Amino acid sequence: MGGKNSSLNPKDLRDLREQTDFDQDEIKTWYESFKKDCPLGYLTKPQFVNMYQNYFPNGDAETFANHVFASYDTNGDNRIEFREFLCALSVMARGTLDQKLSWAFGLYDLDGNGWVTKDELLSIITGIYKMVQNDVELEDFAETPEELVDEILKLMDSNNDHKLSRVEFIEGCQKNPQLVKVIKPL
């Protein structure tokens, strides 16, 4: 998508209009902002973690930010290019509830095998607790990450196989909007 001083070419712009819910002017604006913040043309993991840490200065955002970074880095090259950034932003900002929940499922499915296990849930939920520990009252849901994970599985694991399919995850979130406030990406 170009070097550090380039602009979007017409083909890239057309592709991004097709892949996102942003119009041409919005894409150009996001691109200029991205280029300004990321002059190399990509966002590194330390930059991304630092950004989250700045948003949550009273907690430890590293674990959660690393998980979110991996979900943005769809090609696995350990950096977030503009296309990856804009596609994720489009889902988060303009996607339907199902699209947002499907994206969140991908965030929780750490190994990408199509299932969210108790360990994967615990890793993400622990990261959320560490990040917002001094800013948000999570005790309304559960006092510990382990208790919350047990509650999530109790509510969502409809076939009691101790893991969540994409369908179970999405349907469980749709039935429990209070729970979505805790498990959705921030």
Side-chain angles (χ1 to χ4, degrees), residues 83-144:
R83 176 179 302 281
E84 292 168 317
F85 167 78
L86 195 67
C87 288
L89 181 64
S90 178
V91 170
M92 294 291 89
R94 305 236 171 111
T96 64
L97 178 60
D98 281 352
Q99 289 170 323
K100 290 175 184 180
L101 293 175
S102 185
W103 187 88
F105 177 84
L107 171 67
Y108 280 81
D109 181 13
L110 299 177
D111 62 8
N113 70 353
W115 300 99
V116 175
T117 65
K118 184 174 183 172
D119 288 342
E120 288 171 323
L121 274 171
L122 186 58
S123 181
I124 299 282
I125 298 295
T126 298
I128 292 171
Y129 268 66
K130 286 179 180 178
M131 182 173 64
V132 300
Q133 64 189 347
N134 298 313
D135 296 324
V136 176
E137 292 297 321
L138 292 173
E139 291 79 25
D140 292 345
F141 298 95
E143 288 198 27
T144 68

Side-chain angles (χ1 to χ4, degrees), residues 57-81:
N58 299 321
D60 178 2
E62 184 172 2
T63 301
F64 185 73
N66 281 324
H67 291 309
V68 176
F69 181 89
S71 69
Y72 274 63
D73 181 20
T74 57
N75 66 2
D77 67 355
N78 225 14
R79 58 190 197 181
I80 299 171
E81 287 91 10

Side-chain angles (χ1 to χ4, degrees), residues 10-54:
K11 181 186 180 305
D12 288 336
L13 187 57
R14 187 175 47 255
D15 289 346
L16 288 168
R17 285 182 58 212
E18 291 173 4
Q19 292 178 9
T20 70
D21 289 323
F22 294 116
D23 66 33
Q24 181 171 318
D25 290 336
E26 291 170 318
I27 293 168
K28 287 178 180 179
T29 299
W30 278 113
Y31 184 71
E32 291 304 316
S33 178
F34 189 86
K35 272 183 22 181
K36 181 181 170 200
D37 293 339
C38 306
L40 294 175
Y42 56 85
L43 185 61
T44 66
K45 189 181 288 190
Q47 290 170 312
F48 192 81
V49 170
N50 188 54
M51 181 179 69
Y52 262 81
Q53 195 60 54
N54 288 335

Side-chain angles (χ1 to χ4, degrees), residues 161-180:
D161 63 355
H162 309 290
K163 59 187 177 184
L164 301 175
S165 67
R166 184 177 301 271
V167 170
E168 286 174 318
F169 183 87
I170 291 172
E171 288 177 355
C173 288
Q174 290 172 333
K175 291 177 185 174
N176 301 285
Q178 278 298 104
L179 198 54
V180 174

